[in-house]
Amino acid sequence: MVLLKAIRPAICCSSSVFDGGHLIPVDKVSFVKFPLPASWLSMRLNSGNNAKLSLIQATEESSMPITNDHAAAISGENLHQIAANGKATNIVWHKSPIGKLNRQELLQQKGCVIWITGLSGSGKSTVACALCHALHSRGKLAYILDGDNVRHGLNRDLSFKAEDRAENIRRIGEVAKLFADAGIICIASVISPYRKDRDACRALLPEGDFIEVFLNVPLHICEARDPKGLYKLARAGKIKGFTGIDDPYEPPLHCELELPQKGNICASPCEMAETMISYLEEKGYLQA
Ligand SMILES: Nc1ncnc2c1ncn2[C@@H]1O[C@H](COP(=O)(O)OS(=O)(=O)O)[C@@H](OP(=O)(O)O)[C@H]1O
Ligand SMILES: Nc1ncnc2c1ncn2[C@@H]1O[C@H](COP(=O)(O)OP(=O)(O)O)[C@@H](O)[C@H]1O
């Protein structure tokens, strides 16, 4: 079974193949639906000698101009297999005429994910805000996905048990990937205590685009800060499974940046933001 890709819902089935813009007749075609101008589709169908496709119904005229990219997609140059992905079957990637490079050109930056991991109270949210602010002042578009905040909406159904934390991180990783694809510098500030969950998010992105930043602040400092009083509750046994107390935190083994550097006194959030900006500049993310 192959896919014929169209501009809007690409619906097709059975053994028909477009090759290089020409329809190659095969034994059986059951159903094809293109949201294209009927005249254009008829022209394509008629161009094959023994085409066994016929236009059943013209439903609407597309308001979208047919570009070379569209034509290529429709003619089969970008065929994708109909996929089974997780629990969904018969799903097909739909390519947009405007891609990441176009958006990066518009924004004059490169999309990426800055993944800030560390204990509760290590300063993830604070440094994420400092970084976002510093980028904004330089005319760069950034967006923060903060663990606490995402748990107010998208991830409100998730607890802190290991499998829910994994799902929390998986979803944030997927959303961060979309932001990066949008050309945005996405700053994820989440405890993300498990190495394999962080590594799975890294694997979603092109090489280099996942920048893992370890906010290496020791537990005793985080606990002394305790801005929300959660450590106190955890120590009192009123919160079970609190990271660092009775739940694990696995520090990164190979992160791109570690803040503050081991042995140093805690840098200010602005200094840490500047360190991250220097990294982005050096790697070329602050230009298209
Ligand atoms: N059991 C337990 N363990 C750790 N943290 C807890 C827990 N219960 C609530 N909180 C609060 O939730 C915030 C962490 O959410 P995250 O989504 O970043 O956590 S995780 O990545 O899924 O582990 C975290 O926010 P930060 O302090 O900003 O890290 C806590 O305020
Ligand atoms: N670099 C820093 N130096 C000193 N205190 C900090 C620093 N960054 C954050 N803090 C303080 O630590 C506490 C926890 O910061 P927060 O950003 O909420 O951490 P997290 O998001 O990791 O839980 C806050 O009271 C904040 O003001």
Side-chain angles (χ1 to χ4, degrees):
M1 190 178 261
V2 295
L3 159 72
L4 307 182
K5 199 159 193 260
I7 290 173
R8 283 207 293 268
I11 305 162
C12 81
C13 61
S14 201
S15 37
S16 148
V17 180
F18 276 108
D19 179 25
H22 300 290
L23 185 66
I24 296 173
V26 286
D27 26 333
K28 194 171 152 219
V29 174
S30 56
F31 178 66
V32 177
K33 186 175 162 193
F34 284 145
L36 288 172
S39 53
W40 192 89
L41 183 55
S42 301
M43 189 184 79
R44 300 290 290 192
L45 294 176
N46 290 338
S47 70
N49 290 340
N50 300 308
K52 290 183 182 155
L53 278 175
S54 58
L55 186 60
I56 298 165
Q57 190 191 4
T59 49
E60 64 171 304
E61 295 284 309
S62 172
S63 57
M64 237 173 141
I66 297 164
T67 64
N68 286 344
D69 277 357
H70 290 136
I74 294 157
S75 67
E77 288 165 28
N78 294 327
L79 282 184
H80 293 267
Q81 288 186 339
I82 292 175
N85 192 357
K87 290 181 182 167
T89 53
N90 301 320
I91 52 167
V92 170
W93 187 263
H94 193 99
K95 198 178 167 212
S96 160
I98 299 296
K100 186 179 182 186
L101 291 178
N102 306 104
R103 293 185 283 272
Q104 292 185 156
E105 185 67 25
L106 193 72
L107 294 168
Q108 285 301 301
Q109 61 185 53
K110 290 193 189 85
C112 61
V113 174
I114 304 207
W115 191 278
I116 304 173
T117 173
L119 292 171
S120 174
S122 56
K124 300 182 298 297
S125 308
T126 308
V127 80
C129 288
L131 175 60
C132 195
H133 186 266
L135 286 167
H136 190 83
S137 329
R138 284 166 171 79
K140 302 299 167 192
L141 184 58
Y143 190 84
I144 300 173
L145 297 174
D146 189 89
D148 256 331
N149 295 358
V150 178
R151 282 177 176 277
H152 278 80
L154 176 67
N155 290 351
R156 67 190 315 155
D157 57 325
L158 301 176
S159 74
F160 286 92
K161 63 185 180 195
E163 69 228 53
D164 278 8
R165 288 190 201 245
E167 176 60 10
N168 179 41
I169 298 314
R170 189 192 70 78
R171 289 184 201 172
I172 292 174
E174 289 285 356
V175 174
K177 176 186 164 183
L178 295 178
F179 273 98
D181 187 54
I184 293 168
I185 298 166
C186 182
I187 308 164
S189 46
V190 267
I191 297 179
S192 43
Y194 300 114
R195 215 171 276 140
K196 74 169 169 34
D197 298 338
R198 296 192 301 264
D199 288 347
C201 294
R202 177 186 290 275
L204 293 172
L205 285 132
E207 181 79 35
D209 286 4
F210 184 89
I211 300 151
E212 190 171 358
V213 179
F214 177 29
L215 213 40
N216 188 3
V217 179
L219 178 65
H220 71 271
I221 296 180
C222 298
E223 200 169 348
R225 289 177 180 169
D226 203 9
K228 303 170 198 160
L230 298 179
Y231 280 103
K232 204 170 171 193
L233 290 173
R235 288 286 185 198
K238 291 180 181 156
I239 299 178
K240 301 283 183 209
F242 197 81
T243 305
I245 304 298
D246 54 350
D247 227 45
Y249 178 81
E250 300 170 357
L253 298 176
H254 308 289
C255 58
E256 278 69 17
L257 288 172
E258 185 172 327
L259 305 169
Q261 294 295 327
K262 275 184 192 138
N264 284 5
I265 51 155
C266 207
S268 77
C270 286
E271 285 167 329
M272 291 195 258
E274 285 308 320
T275 303
M276 289 187 268
I277 291 210
S278 300
Y279 182 91
L280 291 173
E281 235 157 23
E282 188 193 315
K283 300 286 177 186
Y285 284 97
L286 301 187
Q287 58 197 45

